């Protein structure tokens, strides 16, 4: 009976908006490693990483449908957060990972919010005020326990992707304003303390990622078919790395492998991910991995780096590919989502969580 029910849910959740069952399918165990993937239909789908990424749970967060902009989670507070926009309202919703219960869902900014990130202690979320908002020159600082806005960080308008460092001391903010720069704030003061500049072409930045030591950042840049590398220490771009093997356009999606040996970059105009060896100078492309959609849009990794998750075009229904990083082969697919991350459980306790952004995890001094 259980097998039949799981099969039925697997069929339902990949179909059109509104078809997700309102009741959750219970996980076989709360011990293990799982991918939590938020979808535009209002559901979080949970996949068992150690058993072929099979679907084991579906939880309703909001009624269908909306534009999900981001996801983040914290182990100390066992919470998962979904950022989404609907009817020109930017929502932040909190879910208890131990009970799958929605704790609250609050409108925090109009006309929208974007892809934020949480401090490792689970206390503070840095929430962008949406890439399409020309009137809000700041990001929000949110109390992650209550969903209350407690401050602002001044940055140019169109704030977008945001990453908190692994040590929780700094927050890196990218905007869609043509400044040719990123902004870095201290979480102790919520003031910008550094900028990273020198980006080329349109001077509009796309997705980015940082290494574990907060010394290097890799960026997609609109108008450049490749990616750029910047030194966080000096605050300047230090290298431009082109795509090889395709006549690509601007990439959208970039990530370090957790061991920081490679950077993976989506090709914005072709069904490929470009993979670069980062331990050599100059950086060299080593692989070109074909994916199941014509233009991949996001990349993240499992915490141990065994699996890469490559999302398709946003809002199209393209599945998310699961790539085995040792073979560079696609081994499966998930329902459409770029807003996903790993959550690990042991004896009904959340032990660690991943990051929607594929950040490096080598915390060298």
């Amino acid at each position: 009976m259980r097998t039949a029910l799981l099969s039925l849910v697997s069929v339902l959740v990949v179909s059109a908006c509104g078809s997700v069952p309102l009741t959750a399918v219970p996980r076989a165990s709360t011990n293990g490693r799982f991918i939590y993937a938020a979808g535009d239909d209002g559901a979080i789908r949970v996949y068992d990483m150690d058993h072929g990424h099979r679907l084991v749970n579906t939880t309703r967060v909001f009624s269908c449908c909306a534009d999900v902009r981001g996801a983040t989670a914290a182990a100390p507070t066992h919470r998962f957060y979904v950022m989404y926009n609907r009817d020109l309202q930017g929502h932040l919703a909190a879910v208890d990972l131990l009970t799958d219960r929605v704790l609250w869902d609050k409108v925090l900014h109009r006309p929208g919010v974007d892809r934020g990130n949480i401090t490792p202690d689970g206390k503070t979320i840095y929430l962008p005020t949406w890439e399409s908002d020309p009137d809000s020159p700041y990001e929000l600082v949110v109390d992650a326990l209550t969903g209350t806005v407690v401050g602002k960080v001044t940055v140019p308008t169109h704030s977008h992707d945001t990453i908190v460092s692994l040590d929780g001391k700094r927050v890196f903010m990218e905007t869609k304003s043509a400044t040719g720069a990123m902004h870095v704030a201290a979480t102790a003061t919520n003031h910008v303390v550094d900028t990273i500049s020198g980006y080329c072409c349109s001077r509009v930045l796309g997705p980015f990622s940082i290494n574990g030591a907060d010394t290097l950042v890799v960026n997609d840049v609109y108008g450049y078919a490749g990616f750029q590398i910047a030194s966080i220490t000096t605050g300047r771009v230090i290298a431009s790395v082109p795509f090889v093997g395709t006549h690509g356009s601007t990439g959208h999606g970039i990530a370090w492998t957790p061991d920081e040996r490679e950077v993976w970059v989506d090709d914005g105009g072709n069904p490929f991910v470009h993979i670069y060896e980062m331990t050599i100078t100059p950086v060299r492309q080593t692989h070109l991995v074909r994916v199941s959609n014509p233009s991949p849009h996001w990349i993240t990794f499992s915490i141990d780096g065994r699996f890469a998750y490559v999302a398709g075009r946003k809002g199209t229904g393209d599945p998310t590919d699961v790539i085995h990083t040792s073979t560079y082969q696609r081994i499966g697919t998930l329902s459409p989502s770029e807003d996903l991350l790993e959550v690990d459980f042991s004896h009904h306790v959340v032990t660690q969580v991943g990051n929607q952004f594929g950040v490096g995890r080598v915390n060298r001094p």
Side-chain angles (χ1 to χ4, degrees), residues 77-92:
T77 57
H78 48 83
R79 292 190 180 189
F80 183 93
Y81 297 88
V82 180
M83 302 135 201
Y84 70 96
N85 295 336
R86 182 166 58 191
D87 300 327
L88 295 180
Q89 296 180 327
H91 291 248
L92 179 66

Side-chain angles (χ1 to χ4, degrees), residues 193-214:
V193 293
D194 287 304
T195 58
I196 303 168
S197 59
Y199 291 98
C200 77
C201 311
S202 67
R203 296 169 54 83
V204 176
L205 304 184
F208 72 97
S209 186
I210 59 175
N211 66 349
D214 302 342

